[in-house]
Amino acid sequence: METEKTNHASPPAPSADAHRQRMARRKEIQDQRIAATTADKGLIIVHTGPGKGKTTAALGMVLRSLGHGYRVALVQFIKGAWEPAEKRAFAHWGEQLAFHAMGEGFSWITQDRERDIAAAQKAWETALRYIVNSDCRLILLDEINVALRHGYLTVQQVLDGLAEKPALTHVILTGRGAPPELIARADLVTEMTAVKHPFKDQRIRAQPGIEY
Ligand code: ATP
Ligand code: MG
């Protein structure tokens, strides 16, 4: 009993001197880290995994970029994935933001593989025009990973396109099941984990402001 108590006791509070010393050391390390950072770099960003938040996190970066006055392009690879509320909000940004919903005919309802491939390829062509244009600072390729997973686009095609992007351009690729080759190439990869979801766990339908 006695031993257990000792094991769980919090450590004694450090003296003011020890605390000062520790903080000074931490600041020194932090300063070294900051000094060691390199110049800016356009990032390849991947949001994947089964949890919610892949598209919304990407839209957060779109909002930040717009706030900095950067030009942004959004290409939506799957129809209806997130309209219409964002579309309305984005209309206020005029020329600064290009929005393309390219999923026409690319859905689970058509069951027409040839048509889906053609739609995905067309979306990719549009995306590529923005990727190579240095006026555009951020490009969001929403749900492109799903198109890759279905083989509507090849990973090589996408990697070749990303290789052409200007040095400061950021590209975000969202969707479940990002291919390992893309993850290997990316600079920033976040995998969303589904801990709880109101639809899956409580059959609560998609709600405005939260899902669309
Ligand atoms: P969001 O657009 O909300 O950020 P997402 O991009 O991470 O979600 P998608 O795979 O694009 O997720 O799925 C889009 C829709 O599916 C959203 O309405 C979302 O709430 C819902 N969804 C996401 N994850 C789950 C889950 N684990 N179970 C059930 N529905 C989910
Ligand atoms: Mg999404």
Side-chain angles (χ1 to χ4, degrees), residues 62-145:
V62 166
L63 192 62
R64 285 179 173 165
S65 297
L66 289 170
H68 283 284
Y70 300 147
R71 289 185 86 127
V72 175
L74 284 109
V75 181
Q76 197 179 2
F77 279 74
I78 293 184
K79 189 186 179 186
W82 43 270
E83 61 178 331
E86 294 92 325
K87 220 166 160 178
R88 267 203 303 277
F90 289 151
H92 299 294
W93 292 91
E95 292 261 290
Q96 207 188 327
L97 178 77
F99 176 94
H100 296 272
M102 302 295 289
E104 257 64 50
F106 176 24
S107 77
W108 320 123
I109 300 146
T110 69
Q111 307 281 315
D112 184 341
R113 191 171 161 80
E114 290 312 309
R115 215 172 128 191
D116 290 350
I117 290 172
Q121 291 290 339
K122 194 162 161 247
W124 174 245
E125 268 171 41
T126 303
L128 202 51
R129 278 209 306 276
Y130 292 103
I131 290 171
V132 300
N133 181 349
S134 57
D135 289 346
C136 198
R137 188 64 175 265
L138 176 75
I139 297 114
L140 166 54
L141 308 177
D142 194 47
E143 310 299 349
I144 191 172
N145 296 337

Side-chain angles (χ1 to χ4, degrees), residues 7 11 35 49 56-57 81 113 122 124 134 149 152 154 201 206:
N7 282 347
T56 38
R113 191 171 161 80
K122 194 162 161 247
W124 174 245
S134 57
R149 206 172 44 166
Y152 299 156
T154 68
D201 302 316

